[in-house]
Amino acid sequence: QTRVRMMQAEDARYLKKKVKVGSLDVHPTEKALVVNYELEATILGQLGDAMLGDKKECQKIIRLKSLDNNTDVSALAREVVDKCKLIHPSKLNEVQHLISYLLSRKDAGKDGQVSLDHPAAGISNGMSEPANLNELDSYMEMLYEDIPEKVRGASLILQLARNPDYLEELCQNETVLGALARVLREDWKKSLDLSYNIVYTFFCFSVFSNFHTVISHFKIGSLCMDIVDGELQRTDQYREQLTKRKKGGDMAIDPAKLQQDYERNLKKYQTVVEKQDQVLRVCTYLLLNIAEDVRVEEKMRRKNIVGLLVRMLERESTDLLLLVVSFLKKLSVYMENKDDMADLNIVEKVSRLVATDNSDLLNVTVRLLLNLSFDAGMRAKMIKVGLLPKLVALISEERHQQAVLAVLYHLSVDDKCKSMFTYTDCIPTVMKLVLSSPGPQVPLELMSLAVNLAANKRNAQLICEGAGLKLLLKRALKYRDPLLTKMIRNIAQHEGPTRALFTEFVGELCEVVSSGKSDELVLECVGVLGNLSLPDLDYCQLLTKYNLIDWIKESLQPEAVEDDLALEVVVLLGTVAGDQAAAELIVDSGILHSLVNLLNAKQEDDEVVLQIVYVFYQLTRHEVTRPQVISTTEVPAYLIDLMHDKNTEIRRVCDTTLDIIGENDDDWAVRIQCHKFRWYNSQWLDMVEEAENIDTMGGEEMAGGEGLGHSYLHHSDVLDHQGLYSDGLSSPESEEYPGMNGHSEGSRPSSNYTNRFSADLEQFADELLKKAGV
C-alpha cells in the first residue's frame, strides 16, 4: 500500500483539501471542547483529474486550562471562536453554553471509584500532549529512539487507540502495531511506563471481540503473561533487598542512618509497586478479555495462568485484586483449574479478602468461594482457615446474601460442619430471615441451608427455642410450603425434648394428610408424623378421628401414589405399629395384605422393602397381633426369602422378626431351622447329590475305575475342587451367591413359599439327611 502511494505521488501535481465542520461538544472527562469535522483530501493529476481521494472523521480538542469559577464565560467563548477557524462565529452562543456546562459539571474521577470498565491511568503517559491521527507515522518513528521518546510515542498512539473510532484504521496499519509489539517484547523490562502504554494500546483492541485477531497475531497474550511473571519476580527481589537493608549487613553503620536509608528505599519500593500494579492490572484485564475464547484460555492454563493469578492475590491494590479474583472465578468452573488452585492453597490466600471494605471485591470473592465450595476438600479448607464465622457475618448484607447462603449451604452438607454452625450467629439470623420473608415462598438458598441445619440435633434445639417451632409450623401450613415442612421434618427426627414439642401440632398435621391431596406438602407432613415416635401419643385415636386408615390402605395400593409418598406411608405405619392398640387396628383393617402386595410390587426398592419388613417386626412384637401375622403365610415366607438379602439392614430385621416368630410358633420354628440348615450346608448337600447322581449313571467305571463320587467323598481337599458346584453357583459365603432359590443379585427374590409349604418340609429334610448318610 505504501509503494502504490509513492508511485501515485510521482504523477501528482496538486492536493485539494476540503473540510466539512460537524457537531460541537464537550470532552467527556476533561475541561475541553471537541470539534468534530470531516477532512476530504483529493490528489489531482497534471490535467486536473482526481487520482486519489480519501475521507477521514477528525476531532479537534480545545483545552480550557484556565477555566474556573472566576472565568468570564462570554469573553472566553469569543476567544475560542476567534482562534479556532473550524468554529463559525454564528455558533458563539452554543460555545458559551457548552463552557457554562463545563463549569457546572463535576470533574470526572474525583470520587475515587475505579471500575472494571477501564484501566485507571495511574501512570503518567503524556496525555497532556494531544495526539493527531495524521501524525501517526511520526509517532511510530519515536519508537525507534531512546526510552523517553519511546514512552512519548507509545503514549500518543495510546491516545488514538482509546478512541474506538480510530481502532479500525489502527488495526489496518500493521507497521505501527508490529513496531509496538516489537518494542514491548524487547524493552518491557526497561520501563514500566513504556510497558503500560503499549499493553494499554493493545487492551483497547481486546475490548472488542472482532479485534482479538490483532492480539493473537502479535502474540500479545503470551507476552503479557511473561510481563506479569517478570514483574512478580522483580517484586520478590525488591522485598529481599528491603529485608536485608532493614536488618543491616554492617553493624558499624549508624542505626539512625540505617533507618533513613531503609525508609528512603521503602518509599522507592512503594512507588515502583504502584506502577507495577497498574501494569499488572492492564495485562490481567487484556488476558481476561481474550480468555472468552476457550481455546485461548486453555493455552493460558498450559502457561500457568492460575499460578500467576494466585501469586497476585498477595498484592494490595484493590483494583488489581478485583480483576484477579474475577479471572480466577471464571477459571474455577473447570475442574483442572480448580485442582491447580487447590494445590496452590488458594482458599487461605483468598480468605483475607473476605474482610475487605470494597463491596465489589467482596462480592466477587464470595462468588469465587462458591465455585470452589463444590469440592469437598476445598470446603474442609474453608472451615480450617476460619471462614465460617466471617461468612455468617455477611448474611444480613443484601448484596452478598444469595452467594453467601449458597456457600454456607455447601458447607452444611458435611455432617462434621453442621455442628460448627451452633457456635455462630447463623441459626438466629436464618430464623429471622425465614420468618420475615415477604413472599409466600422462602428463597431457595435460605431454605436449603435451614433444612440442612435442622438435621443436627443441637441446631434443632436452637431453632425450637422460644416459639420457634410454632412459628415455623404456622407459616408452613399457611403458605403450604413443602421446603419449610421438610425443615420441620428434620427437626422431628431428633429424639429428646424437641420431639415432645410436636404433640400439640399432631392434629393439624393429620388434617393436612387427610385432606385427600397428594402434593409435596402432604408428603412432608406424613414424613413428620412418621418421625414422631411418642409414648404419650394416642395413635389409635388419631387414626380413627382423622379417618387415616382408609387413606393409608388406599395409598398402599401399587401405583396409587408416587413412590416417595408410598414409602413415607409405610414409615408412618412402622411408627404407629409400635402402639399395641393401633397395631391391632392396622391388622383388623386388612392393611397387612396391602403391605404384602406392595412388597411384591416393589421388590427392587431396598428402602421400601426394609420399611415394610420393619412394620412386620413391629406387629410381631405385640401378642395380640402376632398370630395374625404368622397366619398370613406370605409374611413369614417373604421373611425367609429375604433372610439372606444382600442388604445388611434387611437381613438384620428379617432375622430378628423370624426369631420372634420361631419362639412363638413351633411349626415355623422347624421350617426356619430347616431353611437355615439348607443354606449353611448347601455346598456339602450339593456335593452329595451330585455324587449320588454320578453313581447312578455308572460313574465307578470312569477315571480308571474310581468314580467321581468316590473321589469327592474321600479326598481331604474336596471343598477346593473347582467343579464342586454342578449348577455353577458360588458358596454361601461368597458375595455372589444367589440364595436358595437361585435368584441373582440383580433382582430381589419373589416369595415362592406360598405353594411349597403345602408339602411336608420336615419329611423332605429327613430324606435329604438320609441321602447324606447322617
Side-chain angles (χ1 to χ4, degrees):
Q1 185 177 1
T2 304
R3 196 176 295 123
V4 172
R5 288 182 176 177
M6 291 177 62
M7 292 175 61
Q8 291 177 340
E10 294 176 359
D11 299 330
R13 290 293 180 269
Y14 306 101
L15 177 63
K16 182 180 179 181
K17 292 184 179 180
K18 183 179 180 181
V19 178
K20 183 179 180 181
V21 181
S23 61
L24 186 64
D25 204 349
V26 295
H27 195 278
T29 58
E30 301 180 25
K31 291 180 178 181
L33 299 177
V34 179
V35 183
N36 299 295
Y37 64 95
E38 183 181 88
L39 177 62
E40 181 178 355
T42 306
I43 298 176
L44 304 178
Q46 294 180 353
L47 302 177
D49 54 328
M51 296 179 59
L52 185 65
D54 194 10
K55 291 183 180 181
K56 290 183 179 179
E57 296 289 339
C58 303
Q59 286 184 339
K60 182 176 179 60
I61 300 176
I62 305 171
R63 288 177 172 80
L64 308 175
K65 296 181 180 180
S66 61
L67 183 62
D68 56 30
N69 293 330
N70 299 324
T71 303
D72 187 344
V73 176
S74 301
L76 182 59
R78 283 193 298 271
E79 183 181 356
V80 169
V81 172
D82 292 341
K83 290 184 177 181
C84 183
K85 303 301 181 183
L86 293 173
I87 303 177
H88 195 270
S90 62
K91 294 191 175 183
L92 178 61
N93 291 334
E94 184 178 353
V95 173
Q96 185 174 341
H97 174 74
L98 293 175
I99 294 175
S100 301
Y101 170 75
L102 285 173
L103 268 178
S104 61
R105 186 181 68 178
K106 294 181 179 179
D107 292 341
K110 282 190 176 181
D111 58 355
Q113 294 294 329
V114 182
S115 66
L116 282 174
D117 298 334
H118 206 276
I123 297 180
S124 175
N125 49 29
M127 292 296 289
S128 59
E129 181 180 356
N132 191 329
L133 189 62
N134 296 326
E135 301 294 330
L136 185 59
D137 291 340
S138 64
Y139 302 156
M140 183 180 66
E141 292 174 0
M142 295 179 189
L143 299 177
Y144 297 95
E145 304 295 334
D146 294 334
I147 293 297
E149 283 298 304
K150 287 180 179 179
V151 173
R152 178 167 170 259
S155 172
L156 292 167
I157 296 173
L158 171 59
Q159 280 192 57
L160 299 174
R162 291 183 66 179
N163 188 339
D165 295 335
Y166 294 155
L167 288 179
E168 185 67 40
E169 189 160 349
L170 288 173
C171 180
Q172 295 174 3
N173 197 328
E174 189 170 345
T175 306
V176 173
L177 296 180
L180 287 170
R182 183 173 60 255
V183 171
L184 180 63
R185 186 172 293 104
E186 295 174 354
D187 298 330
W188 67 264
K189 295 181 181 179
K190 299 178 181 178
S191 171
L192 287 170
D193 293 339
L194 182 63
S195 300
Y196 178 81
N197 289 335
I198 297 179
V199 175
Y200 198 162
T201 300
F202 283 105
F203 162 78
C204 294
F205 287 98
S206 72
V207 173
F208 304 96
S209 299
N210 54 324
F211 290 132
H212 284 187
T213 52
V214 175
I215 310 296
S216 61
H217 177 72
F218 293 103
K219 296 181 172 56
I220 301 300
S222 177
L223 186 54
C224 282
M225 293 185 67
D226 293 338
I227 292 172
V228 170
D229 188 26
E231 294 301 334
L232 292 175
Q233 291 181 14
R234 187 184 300 182
T235 302
D236 294 338
Q237 293 172 2
Y238 288 159
R239 288 175 179 171
E240 290 178 5
Q241 293 174 8
L242 269 178
T243 304
K244 291 179 181 178
R245 288 181 179 275
K246 187 174 184 180
K247 293 179 178 179
D250 188 358
M251 298 301 295
I253 299 178
D254 184 8
K257 291 183 178 180
L258 181 64
Q259 182 64 23
Q260 290 178 357
D261 180 65
Y262 171 74
E263 291 177 356
R264 183 171 60 254
N265 284 279
L266 179 60
K267 290 181 180 179
K268 291 181 180 179
Y269 166 74
Q270 291 172 344
T271 303
V272 172
V273 167
E274 289 179 3
K275 287 191 174 184
Q276 279 185 326
D277 287 342
Q278 295 298 332
V279 174
L280 293 174
R281 182 169 185 252
V282 73
C283 287
T284 306
Y285 209 160
L286 184 147
L287 293 171
L288 178 59
N289 284 344
I290 64 175
E292 67 180 25
D293 188 336
V294 178
R295 293 171 297 180
V296 175
E297 186 177 304
E298 177 59 28
K299 291 180 181 178
M300 291 183 190
R301 181 186 174 274
R302 290 198 293 267
K303 290 201 67 175
N304 193 30
I305 183 64
V306 174
L308 295 177
L309 293 171
V310 172
R311 287 168 64 189
M312 282 192 282
L313 287 173
E314 300 175 357
R315 313 291 290 197
E316 298 297 330
S317 171
T318 302
D319 300 325
L320 174 61
L321 289 172
L322 179 59
L323 266 176
V324 170
V325 177
S326 299
F327 205 161
L328 287 170
K329 181 176 74 70
K330 179 181 186 300
L331 294 172
S332 63
V333 298
Y334 294 98
M335 183 177 295
E336 298 84 359
N337 296 331
K338 182 264 298 178
D339 293 339
D340 291 343
M341 294 177 194
D343 295 337
L344 295 169
N345 202 16
I346 188 174
V347 172
E348 185 174 357
K349 295 180 179 180
V350 166
S351 61
R352 73 180 185 91
L353 302 180
V354 177
T356 182
D357 295 331
N358 187 287
S359 181
D360 294 332
L361 178 58
L362 178 58
N363 189 264
V364 73
T365 300
V366 173
R367 294 187 181 279
L368 170 61
L369 290 173
L370 174 57
N371 286 357
L372 299 177
S373 65
F374 284 90
D375 182 85
M378 294 282 201
R379 294 197 297 269
K381 193 69 176 178
M382 291 177 194
I383 296 296
K384 185 177 180 180
V385 299
L387 271 177
L388 180 58
K390 295 180 181 179
L391 292 171
V392 168
L394 298 174
I395 295 178
S396 301
E397 298 187 21
E398 186 174 352
R399 181 179 182 187
H400 315 302
Q401 187 177 95
Q402 184 180 23
V404 169
L405 288 172
V407 178
L408 292 175
Y409 164 71
H410 283 169
L411 295 178
S412 68
V413 169
D414 303 324
D415 290 335
K416 291 182 179 179
C417 297
K418 287 186 178 73
S419 59
M420 297 183 181
F421 283 87
T422 307
Y423 306 101
T424 68
D425 295 330
C426 184
I427 293 175
T429 306
V430 167
M431 284 292 290
K432 180 180 178 181
L433 292 174
V434 168
L435 296 174
S436 62
S437 182
Q441 298 296 325
V442 181
L444 183 60
E445 296 82 4
L446 177 60
M447 220 39 258
S448 302
L449 174 61
V451 169
N452 279 1
L453 292 178
N456 177 269
K457 185 173 183 178
R458 178 57 184 150
N459 291 340
Q461 291 174 352
L462 291 177
I463 291 171
C464 294
E465 282 186 355
L469 180 60
K470 182 177 181 180
L471 294 173
L472 288 175
L473 270 165
K474 182 179 179 181
R475 179 182 175 90
L477 298 180
K478 177 182 178 181
Y479 293 112
R480 298 188 64 84
D481 189 340
L483 280 178
L484 194 52
T485 314
K486 184 183 289 290
M487 176 186 177
I488 297 169
R489 173 181 171 183
N490 280 356
I491 296 173
Q493 73 182 357
H494 304 294
E495 296 181 357
T498 54
R499 183 176 288 177
L501 296 175
F502 282 87
T503 305
E504 60 178 301
F505 308 113
V506 170
E508 297 178 50
L509 295 171
C510 290
E511 286 181 1
V512 175
V513 173
S514 62
S515 62
K517 298 181 180 179
S518 59
D519 55 8
E520 289 290 327
L521 179 66
V522 172
L523 171 66
E524 299 301 334
C525 287
V526 174
V528 174
L529 292 172
N531 286 333
L532 298 181
S533 180
L534 298 171
D536 299 331
L537 199 60
D538 191 344
Y539 292 101
C540 187
Q541 182 182 356
L542 288 175
L543 294 176
T544 306
K545 180 179 179 180
Y546 296 99
N547 197 25
L548 292 179
I549 287 293
D550 294 338
W551 180 83
I552 291 174
K553 192 172 182 180
E554 182 181 349
S555 299
L556 290 178
Q557 300 301 318
E559 309 303 331
V561 295
E562 296 291 335
D563 290 348
D564 290 343
L565 181 56
L567 174 61
E568 296 304 328
V569 171
V570 177
V571 172
L572 175 60
L573 275 177
T575 302
V576 172
D579 180 74
Q580 180 172 325
E584 188 175 0
L585 182 61
I586 290 172
V587 172
D588 293 341
S589 63
I591 289 180
L592 203 58
H593 292 286
S594 299
L595 286 172
V596 172
N597 294 334
L598 183 63
L599 178 62
N600 191 41
K602 304 293 182 183
Q603 303 175 35
E604 305 297 333
D605 193 328
D606 277 12
E607 188 63 31
V608 173
V609 172
L610 175 61
Q611 297 301 333
I612 292 176
V613 171
Y614 180 72
V615 176
F616 294 157
Y617 162 74
Q618 289 281 63
L619 294 176
T620 56
R621 290 176 60 242
H622 306 297
E623 294 183 4
V624 180
T625 56
R626 186 184 303 127
Q628 292 166 285
V629 175
I630 295 175
S631 62
T632 306
T633 309
E634 294 90 340
V635 174
Y638 264 113
L639 292 174
I640 290 176
D641 251 357
L642 295 170
M643 190 167 56
H644 307 293
D645 189 87
K646 60 183 179 180
N647 188 296
T648 306
E649 287 300 314
I650 292 177
R651 292 201 304 268
R652 186 175 63 85
V653 178
C654 283
D655 285 343
T656 305
T657 309
L658 287 173
D659 288 344
I660 296 174
I661 294 175
E663 290 174 2
N664 293 274
D665 188 284
D666 295 337
D667 183 40
W668 274 107
V670 174
R671 298 180 184 184
I672 293 169
Q673 187 176 9
C674 261
H675 176 83
K676 290 183 177 181
F677 175 84
R678 174 66 181 174
W679 173 263
Y680 288 115
N681 297 279
S682 59
Q683 293 181 355
W684 178 67
L685 292 175
D686 289 343
M687 176 197 71
V688 172
E689 290 177 359
E690 183 178 340
E692 190 174 85
N693 291 335
I694 292 176
D695 287 341
T696 304
M697 295 167 59
E700 292 293 338
E701 278 70 32
M702 298 174 60
E706 186 176 6
L708 187 59
H710 182 272
S711 174
Y712 277 170
L713 292 174
H714 295 282
H715 280 74
S716 60
D717 58 349
V718 63
L719 293 179
D720 296 328
H721 200 285
Q722 295 295 325
L724 177 63
Y725 308 112
S726 61
D727 57 355
L729 301 178
S730 57
S731 64
E733 289 79 5
S734 171
E735 292 182 358
E736 297 182 356
Y737 188 76
M740 176 179 175
N741 302 319
H743 295 281
S744 66
E745 270 201 25
S747 61
R748 185 177 308 286
S750 301
S751 177
N752 47 18
Y753 281 86
T754 304
N755 298 322
R756 179 180 300 177
F757 284 106
S758 58
D760 190 349
L761 189 59
E762 293 182 44
Q763 183 179 357
F764 168 76
D766 291 339
E767 293 176 358
L768 202 58
L769 293 174
K770 289 178 181 178
K771 289 181 181 179
V774 179

